[in-house]
Amino acid sequence: MAITKNTRSKTMKVVIAPEPGGPEALQIVEMETPTPSGREVLVEVKAAGVNRPDVMQRMGGYPPPPGASDVLGLEIAGEVIAVGSEASRFAVGDRVFGLVASGGYAEYAVIDERNALLAPAGVDWTAVGGIPETYFTVWTNMIQRGQLTKGEWVLIHGGSSGIGTTAIQIAKARGARVAITAGSAEKCQKCLDLGADVAINYKEEDFVEALTKATDGHGFDLCLDMVGGEYVNRNLAAAAPGGRLVQIALQAGPEATINVWQIMAKKLWFTGSTLRARSVEEKAEIANELEQELMPLWENGQCLPVIDSVYPFEEVVDAHRRMDAPHIGKVILSFEGDR
Ligand SMILES: NC(=O)c1ccc[n+]([C@@H]2O[C@H](COP(=O)([O-])OP(=O)(O)OC[C@H]3O[C@@H](n4cnc5c(N)ncnc54)[C@H](OP(=O)(O)O)[C@@H]3O)[C@@H](O)[C@H]2O)c1
């Protein structure tokens, strides 16, 4: 039996993409409001982040994992209004945020309490709603898998993206030296303002040459790559001896021709991962580390997401148009005006 704070509507507005397509493919429809079970809590959503994987799902290329609904959205922030029978971490009225495998673009969402955190005090809903997807992704790939340590050089492709702006801040907070690539002078400047040491406009410069020069011939110790395709072989060329390459997306395609000798000669490590399909337990491990390592920074107003723009929930089509246009940092859906 769930403990409930207030009477919530039996139905709620949600966003789906019944047919693959552009932003206009998104539709707001009514659906039954979920009831939390087991270790789930029901959250009245105040803000939900928009991420590139949502765009891929809209276009038909990133289906929800088995068991997840087809409502878009991977991250939420809001107030707990009901808790499942086995949930004990949060109470009704708590401000929380966290990861969902689907269902974030909705007035209400259920979330497993192990994948949620208490919202940092004093941080507004739009910033909190923009944390989970990129911070979980960057933490697990750059810190847990990539093992970035103080003083090392990390190369972050797509530095101005939601993921990139998060990675720059976490890397700097951990004392690393940061080089980024981005596709315009404005984007490069924003990354430098955020703390990057070197910004490479990949449309004007070859990133392998530029990085090699900027690091006095050293190259990167760790590369966080969301491009793939022909970048893979160039990444291998830009690596320092013992360098690590973590692949998090393949915007230029999944296939690459590489010179494997570079891996052998420089003793490189090449790995990668996806977040969405991981188990609740795996995501909970990341949540615990974020709580220990980053919560103190967030509560100090540091290392928070860079917000590009905020759209009312009803304007979700425009929010996706913004994702398809040049932007810097995160696009957020806000529900606060709706209530
Ligand atoms: N593995 C995971 O678990 C996981 C989880 C979340 C997200 N992701 C992936 O991470 C990526 C970023 O997500 P997001 O939500 O932050 O998206 P986003 O804000 O829309 O950013 C996409 C970025 O890709 C950059 N880009 C595209 N081609 C590039 C190139 N050739 N060189 C350098 N940058 C390039 C764009 O920068 P320019 O305009 O400068 O080209 C843009 O900043 C997406 O591909 C997403 O699928 C992976």
Side-chain angles (χ1 to χ4, degrees):
M1 169 75 80
I3 303 161
T4 306
K5 175 191 177 190
N6 52 17
T7 46
R8 57 186 187 272
S9 334
K10 286 208 171 89
T11 61
M12 61 175 184
K13 290 182 198 156
V14 305
V15 177
I16 57 172
E19 297 295 333
E24 309 71 33
L26 297 174
Q27 289 181 14
I28 297 179
V29 297
E30 294 267 331
M31 199 175 260
E32 196 179 328
T33 304
T35 300
S37 62
R39 295 189 70 176
E40 289 172 342
V41 298
L42 180 66
V43 172
E44 183 181 61
V45 180
K46 305 287 189 187
V50 178
N51 294 284
R52 180 76 21 204
D54 308 341
V55 175
M56 290 158 59
Q57 180 172 340
R58 184 198 78 208
M59 293 166 74
Y62 196 60
S69 81
D70 57 1
V71 175
L72 275 83
L74 302 171
E75 59 184 350
I76 54 161
E79 194 181 313
V80 174
I81 60 165
V83 301
S85 56
E86 292 160 36
S88 58
R89 250 167 80 81
F90 305 111
V92 167
D94 279 349
R95 297 171 81 240
V96 299
F97 69 113
L99 270 188
V100 288
S102 66
Y105 294 11
E107 291 180 291
Y108 301 94
V110 284
I111 182 169
D112 191 290
E113 62 175 359
R114 291 164 288 179
N115 293 169
L117 301 168
L118 269 185
V123 181
D124 65 36
W125 284 122
T126 51
V128 178
I131 292 177
E133 178 68 10
T134 62
Y135 284 72
F136 275 68
T137 298
V138 170
W139 190 265
T140 191
N141 286 293
M142 192 172 77
I143 305 300
Q144 293 181 328
R145 296 184 85 75
Q147 297 283 307
L148 183 66
T149 56
K150 193 172 173 180
E152 287 192 319
W153 273 105
V154 57
L155 172 64
I156 300 165
H157 289 303
S160 66
S161 63
I163 291 278
T165 49
T166 299
I168 292 168
Q169 295 187 83
I170 294 179
K172 289 312 294 181
R174 297 184 75 81
R177 291 180 284 179
V178 175
I180 64 93
T181 62
S184 74
E186 186 200 355
K187 288 179 170 187
C188 285
Q189 187 55 52
K190 179 66 189 178
C191 294
L192 292 170
D193 294 345
L194 267 181
D197 300 279
V198 174
I200 302 164
N201 181 340
Y202 69 86
K203 291 185 177 158
E204 293 183 349
E205 284 180 283
D206 173 72
F207 76 79
V208 181
E209 279 175 27
L211 181 80
T212 307
K213 193 170 162 206
T215 58
D216 293 329
H218 179 75
F220 68 73
D221 300 295
L222 175 68
C223 174
L224 192 65
D225 183 29
M226 61 173 73
V227 181
E230 54 95 26
Y231 265 41
V232 178
N233 201 46
R234 292 165 72 195
N235 286 336
L236 298 178
R244 290 98 65 205
L245 171 59
V246 183
Q247 201 71 47
I248 59 163
L250 300 163
Q251 295 185 82
E255 303 207 350
T257 301
I258 62 167
N259 178 348
V260 181
W261 173 243
Q262 299 188 97
I263 297 180
M264 295 160 65
K266 290 197 269 187
K267 304 188 192 77
L268 306 181
W269 300 86
F270 189 2
T271 183
S273 79
T274 62
L275 181 67
R276 191 181 194 181
R278 293 196 198 185
S279 66
V280 166
E281 289 77 12
E282 281 179 281
K283 290 174 186 168
E285 274 181 37
I286 306 170
N288 290 342
E289 288 191 23
L290 288 175
E291 189 159 43
Q292 281 166 27
E293 303 284 340
L294 293 188
M295 187 63 80
L297 297 180
W298 294 331
E299 287 182 338
N300 250 345
Q302 296 167 320
C303 206
L304 286 164
V306 172
I307 306 298
D308 174 88
S309 43
V310 180
Y311 290 84
F313 173 65
E314 306 287 348
E315 294 174 20
V316 63
V317 169
D318 286 335
H320 269 235
R321 286 197 182 111
R322 180 72 187 162
M323 283 298 283
D324 286 349
H327 59 276
I328 296 177
K330 300 273 312 192
V331 175
I332 305 290
L333 295 176
S334 170
F335 296 75
E336 288 195 272
D338 295 344
R339 300 204 169 94

